[in-house]
C-alpha cells in the first residue's frame, strides 16, 4: 500500500508539472508591442469612452455591488461578473475573459504598474472617500473619528506616499509598543488589496489602512487584533459583531452607509482598468525558461513565501484531521443511538442530516460564523472544524446505515446463540462484516473533505488555498501558486488515503487471528 501511495504522489506531481509547462509556454508572452500614442509615447487604452463599454463585460469584487454605477455611464453593459480578489480579476482582464474591471484609484494604480497590457480608463466612474467601517450606532465610531481629526494632514499624506510609492523597504508596520490600557479592538481587514491592506511576507497584515488604524489606536491607547479575510466578508463581520472595525480599501457609498457607519479618512475614486490596444499580440524578449525561473522565484523564494505554503498546509491538515476524527465519532455515536429503531431519535437525526446535507458547505460555514456563533469570540478555524465535523459526521451516519443494513440479521442471531451480548454481537460480528461495504465510501469522503476545506477562506481562515491567494495578490502570478496548491492537495489526499488504507487493513476481519475472533465465545 505504501508503494501505491508513492506511485499516486509521483503521478500527481508529473501531471501537475506537465500542466505547468503547457500553461507556462504561453505565460511568458506579455504585451510588449502595444499601440502607443504617437505624441506622448503612452500606451493607448482599448476603450476611451463609456459608450464603448456597451455590450461588454465589466467585473468587480464580490461585495462591491456597483452595477448601477456602471450602468449610469454605460447603460447597455452586456454582463457583470464578480471575483473574490483583485489578482484574479486582473488576470481575467489580461486573458480577455472580461473587458473592464472596477476598482479604486489606489489599488488600480498599483495593479497597472505591475501588469503590462492593462491601463486605467481615462475617466473616473465616481469620486468618493475611503472609510473605516463600524457597526451601525457603535459608540466606537465617534471615539475613532475624534482621534482621526487630531492627526495632521501632513502625516496622512506622508503615509499615503509611503504605501503607494515604489520603495518597498519603507513599507513596514510599527509595533504596538503602547500600554493598551483601554483594551483591544478587533479589526477585520482584507488581505489581498495592496497597497491599502494586504498580507506581507510572513502573513502579517500591512498597508495604508493598517498603519492608519495603528496610528489611531496609539492615540486611543488600545491594542489592535487584526484578522485577514476576503473583501466580501468584511462588512458582514462588522455587522455580525465578529469585528469592531472593518478596513481594506472600502469606499464609503450611500448604500453602504445604510448598513454601517464610517470614519472617512482619505479621498478615493472608482476607476476602471482596461487592456491597452494591441496587448497580447506581441511576445516579450524574455525566454521561456527564464520566465519560469522568475515566476518560481517570486512565488516561493522571494520574501520566503514558501513559509506561507507551510503555514497553510498546517491549517488545512488541522481542520481536515480533526474534522475526520470528530465527524467519525459523531456519525458513529448518532448511529448507535438510532440503530435500535428509536423513532424520535431517527426523526431528529434524519432532519438534522437533511439540513446539513441540503445546503452548500460554504453557506453552512457562513451561517455558523456570522449567525449561530455571530456574537461569540470563536475563531474561523474552530468554526470550520465544527462545520466539516457536521458534514463528515452526516456522511458517516449514512455509510453506517448502508453498511450495517447489508449484513443479514441471521448474523446477529448466530452471535446471540454463541453467547454474545448485544454490544459484543455488534462490535465483533456485525460491524467487522459491514466494513467492506463502508470503507470505500469512507476513503472517498476523506479525499473529498480535504479538497472541500479550500473554501474556509470565507470565514477568515488562512488555509493552503488562501495562502495561494495571498501570494498571487503580491506577485500577480497565477501559474506557480495555483499549480503548487494543486500538487500539495494531491499529495495530502494521497497520504490521508494511505493512512486510512492502513487502518482498514488492521481492522479487516479477514486479517484477524482465530484466537481474536473466538475471544469471548464459549467453545467448551
Amino acid at each position: 500500500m505504501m508503494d501505491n501511495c508513492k506511485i499516486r504522489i509521483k503521478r500527481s506531481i508529473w501531471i501537475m508539472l506537465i500542466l505547468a509547462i503547457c500553461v507556462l509556454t504561453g505565460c511568458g508572452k506579455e504585451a510588449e508591442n502595444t499601440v502607443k500614442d504617437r505624441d506622448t509615447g503612452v500606451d493607448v487604452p482599448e476603450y476611451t469612452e463609456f459608450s464603448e463599454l456597451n455590450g461588454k463585460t465589466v467585473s468587480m469584487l464580490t461585495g462591491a455591488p456597483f452595477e448601477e454605477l456602471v450602468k449610469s455611464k454605460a447603460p447597455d453593459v452586456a454582463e457583470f461578473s464578480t471575483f473574490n480578489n483583485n489578482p484574479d480579476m486582473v488576470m481575467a482582464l489580461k486573458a480577455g475573459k472580461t473587458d473592464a474591471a472596477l476598482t479604486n484609484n489606489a489599488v488600480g494604480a498599483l495593479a497597472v504598474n505591475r501588469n503590462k497590457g492593462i491601463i486605467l480608463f481615462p475617466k473616473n466612474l465616481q469620486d468618493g472617500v475611503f472609510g473605516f467601517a463600524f457597526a451601525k450606532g457603535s459608540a466606537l465610531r465617534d471615539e475613532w473619528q475624534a482621534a482621526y481629526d487630531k492627526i495632521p494632514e501632513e502625516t496622512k499624506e506622508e503615509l499615503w506616499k509611503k504605501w503607494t510609492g515604489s520603495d518597498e523597504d519603507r513599507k513596514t508596520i510599527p509595533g504596538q509598543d503602547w500600554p493598551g490600557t483601554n483594551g483591544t479592538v478587533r479589526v477585520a481587514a482584507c488581505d489581498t488589496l495592496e497597497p491599502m491592506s494586504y498580507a506581507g511576507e510572513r502573513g502579517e497584515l500591512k498597508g495604508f489602512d493598517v498603519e492608519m488604524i495603528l496610528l489611531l489606536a496609539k492615540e486611543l491607547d488600545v491594542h489592535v487584533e487584526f484578522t485577514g479575510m476576503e473583501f466580501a466578508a468584511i462588512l458582514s463581520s462588522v455587522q455580525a459583531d465578529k469585528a469592531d472595525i472593518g478596513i481594506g480599501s472600502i469606499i464609503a457609498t450611500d448604500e453602504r452607509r445604510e448598513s454601517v457607519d464610517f470614519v472617512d479618512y482619505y479621498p478615493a475614486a472608482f476607476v476602471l482598468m482596461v487592456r491597452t490596444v494591441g496587448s497580447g499580440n506581441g511576445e516579450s524578449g524574455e525566454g521561456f525558461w527564464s520566465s519560469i525561473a522568475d515566476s518560481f522565484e517570486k512565488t516561493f523564494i522571494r520574501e520566503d513565501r514558501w513559509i506561507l505554503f507551510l503555514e497553510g498546509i498546517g491549517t488545512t491538515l488541522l481542520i481536515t484531521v480533526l474534522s475526520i476524527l470528530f465527524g467519525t465519532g459523531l456519525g458513529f455515536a448518532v448511529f448507535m443511538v438510532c440503530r435500535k429503531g428509536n423513532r424520535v431519535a431517527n426523526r431528529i437525526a434524519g432532519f438534522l442530516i437533511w439540513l446539513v446535507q441540503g445546503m452548500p458547505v460554504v453557506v453552512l460555514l457562513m451561517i455558523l460564523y456570522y449567525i449561530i456563533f455571530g456574537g461569540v469570540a470563536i475563531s474561523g478555524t474552530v468554526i470550520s472544524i465544527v462545520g466539516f465535523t457536521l458534514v463528515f459526521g452526516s456522511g458517516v451516519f449514512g455509510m453506517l446505515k448502508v453498511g450495517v443494513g447489508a449484513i443479514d440479521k441471521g448474523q446477529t442471531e448466530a452471535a446471540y446463540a454463541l453467547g454474545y451480548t448485544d454490544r459484543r454481537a455488534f462490535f465483533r460480528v456485525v460491524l467487522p462484516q459491514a466494513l467492506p461495504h463502508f470503507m470505500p465510501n469512507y476513503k472517498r469522503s476523506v479525499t473529498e473533505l480535504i479538497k472541500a476545506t479550500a473554501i474556509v477562506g470565507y470565514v477568515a481562515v488562512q488555509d493552503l488555498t488562501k495562502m495561494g491567494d495571498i501570494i498571487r495578490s503580491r506577485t500577480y502570478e497565477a501559474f506557480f501558486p495555483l499549480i503548487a496548491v494543486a500538487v500539495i492537495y494531491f499529495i495530502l489526499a494521497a497520504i490521508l488515503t494511505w493512512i486510512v488504507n492502513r487502518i482498514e487493513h488492521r481492522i479487516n476481519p479477514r486479517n484477524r487471528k482465530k484466537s481474536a475472533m473466538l475471544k469471548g465465545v464459549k467453545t467448551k
Side-chain angles (χ1 to χ4, degrees):
M1 291 185 182
M2 186 63 181
D3 291 338
N4 290 336
C5 181
K6 290 180 179 179
I7 291 172
R8 290 183 63 185
I9 292 175
K10 289 179 179 178
R11 184 183 302 162
S12 301
I13 293 175
W14 276 112
I15 290 173
M16 291 298 103
L17 288 176
I18 292 171
L19 178 61
I21 293 173
C22 291
V23 176
L24 282 166
T25 301
C27 86
K29 298 178 180 180
E30 284 284 358
E32 282 287 321
N33 56 346
T34 57
V35 176
K36 295 181 180 292
D37 185 274
R38 291 183 178 180
D39 297 326
T40 64
V42 176
D43 291 342
V44 177
E46 189 173 6
Y47 310 108
T48 57
E49 298 292 337
F50 286 114
S51 59
E52 295 175 329
L53 296 176
N54 288 323
K56 306 299 182 181
T57 300
V58 177
S59 299
M60 59 195 71
L61 294 180
T62 305
F66 301 120
E67 292 87 351
E68 292 304 318
L69 174 59
V70 176
K71 284 186 176 181
S72 68
K73 305 290 186 179
D76 296 321
V77 168
E79 183 183 356
F80 291 98
S81 60
T82 58
F83 293 86
N84 285 332
N85 55 65
N86 202 56
D88 286 347
M89 187 165 65
V90 169
M91 286 185 284
L93 177 63
K94 294 172 67 176
K97 298 183 181 299
T98 186
D99 299 300
L102 185 150
T103 185
N104 64 62
N105 53 315
V107 175
L110 186 68
V112 166
N113 289 335
R114 287 187 172 178
N115 291 271
K116 296 177 182 178
I118 66 170
I119 193 171
L120 291 181
F121 190 78
K123 300 177 181 179
N124 291 349
L125 278 169
Q126 179 179 295
D127 292 330
V129 62
F130 291 114
F132 298 138
F134 294 78
K136 200 70 176 174
S138 171
L140 282 177
R141 187 264 173 200
D142 294 336
E143 295 177 15
W144 284 71
Q145 181 68 64
Y148 173 80
D149 292 339
K150 295 179 182 179
I151 298 177
E153 291 298 323
E154 296 79 10
T155 302
K156 301 171 189 174
E157 287 300 323
E158 180 61 29
L159 286 183
W160 179 260
K161 291 177 182 178
K162 169 183 174 179
W163 291 103
T164 57
S166 58
D167 187 354
E168 294 297 323
D169 293 336
R170 292 187 60 206
K171 297 180 180 181
T172 58
I173 291 294
Q176 300 188 44
D177 55 359
W178 51 92
T181 55
N182 292 323
T184 301
V185 294
R186 303 161 298 164
V187 176
C190 182
D191 48 20
T192 57
L193 283 175
E194 189 178 2
M196 306 303 281
S197 68
Y198 61 100
E201 56 272 14
R202 291 291 182 271
E204 78 283 5
L205 286 167
K206 58 197 302 186
F208 178 73
D209 285 12
V210 175
E211 187 163 0
M212 182 67 77
I213 283 288
L214 291 175
L215 194 64
L216 301 181
K218 185 175 183 178
E219 176 70 28
L220 295 168
D221 196 20
V222 295
H223 281 154
V224 182
E225 179 184 293
F226 291 102
T227 301
M229 60 184 65
E230 300 283 358
F231 179 82
I234 295 173
L235 296 185
S236 297
S237 295
V238 173
Q239 291 174 297
D241 196 32
K242 302 296 291 187
D244 301 305
I245 307 172
I247 68 171
S249 198
I250 305 172
I251 295 183
T253 63
D254 292 338
E255 184 177 8
R256 285 173 173 168
R257 292 183 193 276
E258 294 175 4
S259 303
V260 294
D261 292 331
F262 284 98
V263 168
D264 301 339
Y265 66 94
Y266 206 83
F270 287 112
V271 298
L272 291 172
M273 296 180 290
V274 296
R275 290 180 293 276
T276 55
V277 175
S279 61
N281 295 330
E283 295 187 17
S284 69
E286 186 180 23
F288 166 62
W289 292 110
S290 178
S291 67
I292 290 180
D294 181 62
S295 179
F296 181 86
E297 190 272 336
K298 285 194 290 185
T299 300
F300 298 104
I301 308 303
R302 191 176 299 177
E303 298 178 345
D304 292 331
R305 287 172 183 154
W306 59 271
I307 296 176
L308 296 180
F309 280 110
L310 290 182
E311 293 174 354
I313 290 171
T315 302
T316 294
L317 282 177
L318 176 67
I319 294 171
T320 302
V321 172
L322 291 182
S323 297
I324 290 172
L325 295 176
F326 295 152
T328 301
L330 176 64
F332 190 83
V334 174
F335 174 79
M336 293 300 291
V337 172
C338 298
R339 76 182 182 94
K340 287 295 187 179
N342 185 301
R343 185 174 299 179
V344 175
N346 273 278
R347 286 185 176 179
I348 294 175
F351 172 76
L352 293 177
I353 290 171
W354 168 81
L355 195 63
V356 170
Q357 294 183 339
M359 70 177 76
V361 181
V362 65
V363 176
L364 173 62
L365 291 181
M366 288 193 289
I367 289 175
L368 290 172
Y369 189 73
Y370 294 115
I371 300 177
I372 296 179
F373 296 103
V376 181
I378 185 171
S379 71
T381 301
V382 175
I383 292 294
S384 299
I385 293 171
V386 171
F388 283 107
T389 293
L390 294 175
V391 172
F392 197 78
S394 65
V396 169
F397 177 82
M399 295 176 217
L400 282 169
K401 287 191 70 174
V402 173
V404 173
I407 307 304
D408 190 272
K409 292 183 179 179
Q411 297 294 313
T412 303
E413 294 171 357
Y416 290 159
L418 290 172
Y420 279 74
T421 63
D422 178 69
R423 181 176 176 277
R424 280 180 173 270
F426 177 77
F427 283 100
R428 303 191 68 82
V429 177
V430 177
L431 185 59
Q433 294 182 70
L435 287 176
H437 303 278
F438 171 88
M439 290 306 295
N441 287 333
Y442 186 84
K443 287 185 285 187
R444 184 165 58 250
S445 295
V446 167
T447 302
E448 291 173 350
L449 177 65
I450 194 169
K451 292 185 290 185
T453 59
I455 63 173
V456 297
Y458 282 93
V459 290
V461 178
Q462 293 189 335
D463 69 319
L464 176 58
T465 301
K466 182 62 178 177
M467 289 303 188
D469 291 341
I470 289 172
I471 291 173
R472 285 189 294 128
S473 73
R474 298 296 311 279
T475 65
Y476 284 90
E477 291 279 348
F479 307 108
F480 266 115
L482 290 176
I483 289 170
V485 168
V487 170
I488 293 170
Y489 271 116
F490 269 99
I491 293 173
L492 294 180
I495 292 173
L496 286 177
T497 302
W498 177 80
I499 293 173
V500 175
N501 281 334
R502 295 298 301 168
I503 295 173
E504 180 186 18
H505 178 77
R506 294 290 299 271
I507 63 178
N508 192 321
R510 295 179 181 178
N511 298 323
R512 291 163 62 192
K513 296 180 180 179
K514 183 178 179 180
S515 58
M517 295 177 66
L518 295 177
K519 186 177 180 179
V521 179
K522 298 178 181 178
T523 57
K524 293 183 180 180

